[in-house]
Amino acid sequence: MNTHAPYRTIPIEPVVDEGALFEIRKKIYPRAVHGWFAKWRWALIFLTQAIFYGMPWLSWNGRQAVLFDLAARKFYVLGMVFWPQDVIYLSILLILSALSLFLFTAVAGRLWCGYACPQTVYTEVFSWIERKIEGDRLARIRLDVAPMSLEKFVVKGLKHAAWFTIALWTGFTFVGYFTPIRELGVRAITWQLGPWEAFWILFYGFATYGNAGFMREQVCKYMCPYARFQSVMFDKDTLVITYDRERGEPRGSRPKAVNPRDRGLGDCIDCNICVQVCPTGIDIRNGLQYECIGCGACIDGCNQVMDKMGYPSGLIRYTTEDALARGYDAKAMWRRVFRPRTLMYAMALLTIVGVTVQSLAMKNPLKVDVIRDRGALAREAAPGVIENVYRVQLMNTDEIPRDFLISAKGMPSLQVVGIEQPVAVGAAQTRLLALRLQVTTDADAKARPAAAGERSDRDAEDPFSAGTHNIEFIVQSIDDNQVARHEKSSFIIPR
Ligand code: SF4
Ligand code: SF4
């Protein structure tokens, strides 16, 4: 008889090597590339940076053309002044940005990432400086593996000094959008910057230095959420940078004089130039990858190789999944690029732009807020004279001073008292007034009709009955009939 307890089988977990929790970055040494897409990229770099660095130095009506004055809560954009009440325009701007992103991504993938995103732009600028100081790909690889020497120290020091200067200038320019840049410049030179100004210049400068100098493609690969959700905006008719596998494979090296078909080869000579020029270090021949920022460098690189080999260009090119699968010609492909989806985005975009431009052109430069003074209730100022107190805020969002007349209607004998008229409001200024409205409840006044406006049945019977009466303030510029506001309020007759 077996007195031993039966052996229990202890499950042994298979040993799983989970590896590192993150991939150790291999430094990328992109090779210089020239071509049509590189020219486009540089054109957009010049355009965006000319706007970014130049705009705060422009003047308009004697002040900075673009200034986001957070302290005064006024945003100056060329001839327009936006107040907190204009937050709708910020919402419209965000909607337009989102719609543009949908449209351009649906048409041609990551156009924004490849040509206009600040991360791409500054990485390109910093890489250019790096190439000019350290040399192209091979020279940089050799320099990095070489032991430290005086020459290496000087070369690296020069590069970092140039990066640092651009980064600081970028931080300075950024802060110059929020505080007048000329005064900021004087304070910076005389070491009199405020603590917040100094903090933001350094913060933005270091962010530029770190992101464009060191992080580079890692920002796109690991930090930017757009790379992750872009695929939902693609479909089979979206233009994406694609390697033509059918034409390129089987890949392999061969002398220029040899016909690749004689050797059973495709057009790809497996030179790896497309990988070497890629700023994210990927091989586009492996298909569309989320790391691809759509910069077109591999197209330029491969086209140069195709030219040298005497093959037609476009082994790597912008094309659509359907065009490759079904063999569409360029005309058929472009017809599908402008499909209902992209046309709808474009229509929505144009409509919102049109409405916004019209609304900005017709924007009333006068804003009025009327608040009944709840601390001072309705009272009898004199026998038969009832008075209510109000606080009226006038905002002249124009860049010229204006004089306004304030009146009220809705009850017989209603008149504004307690302020001197006209009321002057400076350019882009606000003025808060405490004023009184009075009605005279004598028989003559009852006989007089209200100046205008709706009157309830109750008012028709007795315009001075106890309770709340609807009235309207009218604020009118004396030098421009178009600048006026009607603001609803109420007047209380005590019991
Ligand atoms: S694969 Fe081509 S388009 Fe994509 S990031 Fe690399 S070089 Fe740019
Ligand atoms: S650059 Fe063109 S030819 Fe060279 S490896 Fe890339 S796809 Fe092939």
Short mmCIF file of all heavy atoms in Angstrom, two decimals, residues 241 274 277-284 291-299, ligand 1:
data_model
loop_
_atom_site.label_atom_id
_atom_site.label_comp_id
_atom_site.label_asym_id
_atom_site.label_seq_id
_atom_site.Cartn_x
_atom_site.Cartn_y
_atom_site.Cartn_z
N ILE A 241 3.70 58.05 -48.99
CA ILE A 241 5.01 57.74 -49.59
C ILE A 241 5.20 56.23 -49.55
O ILE A 241 5.15 55.61 -48.50
CB ILE A 241 6.10 58.50 -48.82
CG1 ILE A 241 5.91 60.00 -49.08
CG2 ILE A 241 7.49 58.04 -49.25
CD1 ILE A 241 6.74 60.91 -48.24
N CYS A 274 17.92 55.30 -49.25
CA CYS A 274 16.63 55.73 -48.71
C CYS A 274 16.60 55.59 -47.19
O CYS A 274 15.93 56.37 -46.51
CB CYS A 274 15.49 54.93 -49.34
SG CYS A 274 15.72 53.16 -49.28
N VAL A 277 19.05 58.53 -45.60
CA VAL A 277 18.56 59.91 -45.59
C VAL A 277 17.37 60.10 -44.66
O VAL A 277 16.98 61.22 -44.36
CB VAL A 277 18.15 60.40 -47.01
CG1 VAL A 277 19.34 60.39 -47.95
CG2 VAL A 277 17.00 59.57 -47.57
N CYS A 278 16.81 58.98 -44.19
CA CYS A 278 15.58 59.07 -43.41
C CYS A 278 15.85 59.63 -42.01
O CYS A 278 16.64 59.07 -41.26
CB CYS A 278 14.94 57.69 -43.29
SG CYS A 278 13.46 57.72 -42.26
N PRO A 279 15.18 60.73 -41.65
CA PRO A 279 15.44 61.32 -40.32
C PRO A 279 14.93 60.46 -39.17
O PRO A 279 15.32 60.68 -38.03
CB PRO A 279 14.70 62.66 -40.38
CG PRO A 279 13.66 62.49 -41.42
CD PRO A 279 14.20 61.52 -42.41
N THR A 280 14.06 59.48 -39.47
CA THR A 280 13.61 58.61 -38.38
C THR A 280 14.26 57.23 -38.46
O THR A 280 13.96 56.35 -37.66
CB THR A 280 12.06 58.46 -38.37
OG1 THR A 280 11.67 57.79 -39.56
CG2 THR A 280 11.38 59.79 -38.30
N GLY A 281 15.13 57.05 -39.43
CA GLY A 281 15.94 55.83 -39.51
C GLY A 281 15.19 54.58 -39.93
O GLY A 281 15.64 53.47 -39.64
N ILE A 282 14.06 54.74 -40.61
CA ILE A 282 13.31 53.53 -40.99
C ILE A 282 13.59 53.17 -42.46
O ILE A 282 14.12 53.98 -43.23
CB ILE A 282 11.79 53.69 -40.77
CG1 ILE A 282 11.25 54.88 -41.58
CG2 ILE A 282 11.48 53.83 -39.31
CD1 ILE A 282 9.74 54.91 -41.63
N ASP A 283 13.17 51.97 -42.81
CA ASP A 283 13.33 51.49 -44.18
C ASP A 283 11.94 51.46 -44.81
O ASP A 283 11.12 50.61 -44.47
CB ASP A 283 13.96 50.08 -44.15
CG ASP A 283 14.31 49.60 -45.56
OD1 ASP A 283 13.78 50.18 -46.53
OD2 ASP A 283 15.09 48.63 -45.68
N ILE A 284 11.70 52.42 -45.70
CA ILE A 284 10.36 52.55 -46.28
C ILE A 284 10.01 51.32 -47.13
O ILE A 284 8.84 51.06 -47.41
CB ILE A 284 10.26 53.86 -47.13
CG1 ILE A 284 8.82 54.21 -47.53
CG2 ILE A 284 11.13 53.77 -48.38
CD1 ILE A 284 7.94 54.58 -46.40
N GLU A 291 6.33 55.46 -37.83
CA GLU A 291 7.47 56.36 -37.62
C GLU A 291 7.68 57.31 -38.81
O GLU A 291 8.34 58.34 -38.67
CB GLU A 291 8.77 55.57 -37.44
CG GLU A 291 8.82 54.73 -36.19
CD GLU A 291 8.43 53.29 -36.47
OE1 GLU A 291 7.66 53.06 -37.42
OE2 GLU A 291 8.88 52.40 -35.74
N CYS A 292 7.13 56.97 -39.97
CA CYS A 292 7.34 57.79 -41.17
C CYS A 292 6.62 59.13 -41.02
O CYS A 292 5.40 59.17 -40.87
CB CYS A 292 6.82 57.05 -42.41
SG CYS A 292 6.88 58.07 -43.89
N ILE A 293 7.38 60.22 -41.08
CA ILE A 293 6.76 61.54 -40.92
C ILE A 293 6.38 62.15 -42.27
O ILE A 293 5.94 63.30 -42.34
CB ILE A 293 7.67 62.51 -40.13
CG1 ILE A 293 9.03 62.67 -40.82
CG2 ILE A 293 7.84 62.06 -38.70
CD1 ILE A 293 9.87 63.81 -40.27
N GLY A 294 6.58 61.41 -43.34
CA GLY A 294 6.15 61.88 -44.66
C GLY A 294 6.98 63.04 -45.19
O GLY A 294 6.45 63.93 -45.86
N CYS A 295 8.30 63.02 -44.91
CA CYS A 295 9.12 64.18 -45.29
C CYS A 295 9.57 64.11 -46.76
O CYS A 295 10.00 65.11 -47.31
CB CYS A 295 10.35 64.26 -44.39
SG CYS A 295 11.48 62.87 -44.60
N GLY A 296 9.49 62.95 -47.37
CA GLY A 296 9.86 62.82 -48.79
C GLY A 296 11.36 62.71 -49.04
O GLY A 296 11.79 62.64 -50.19
N ALA A 297 12.18 62.66 -47.96
CA ALA A 297 13.63 62.57 -48.16
C ALA A 297 14.01 61.28 -48.90
O ALA A 297 14.91 61.28 -49.74
CB ALA A 297 14.36 62.64 -46.81
N CYS A 298 13.30 60.19 -48.60
CA CYS A 298 13.63 58.92 -49.27
C CYS A 298 13.29 58.99 -50.76
O CYS A 298 13.95 58.36 -51.58
CB CYS A 298 12.92 57.75 -48.58
SG CYS A 298 11.16 57.99 -48.40
N ILE A 299 12.25 59.78 -51.11
CA ILE A 299 11.91 59.92 -52.53
C ILE A 299 13.06 60.63 -53.25
O ILE A 299 13.54 60.16 -54.29
CB ILE A 299 10.61 60.74 -52.72
CG1 ILE A 299 9.45 60.10 -51.98
CG2 ILE A 299 10.30 60.90 -54.21
CD1 ILE A 299 8.12 60.81 -52.18
S1 SF4 B 1 10.46 56.88 -44.72
FE1 SF4 B 1 10.87 58.52 -46.18
S2 SF4 B 1 9.18 59.96 -45.91
FE2 SF4 B 1 9.16 58.58 -44.15
S3 SF4 B 1 10.33 59.69 -42.61
FE3 SF4 B 1 11.77 58.34 -43.67
S4 SF4 B 1 12.60 59.61 -45.31
FE4 SF4 B 1 10.82 60.67 -44.55
#
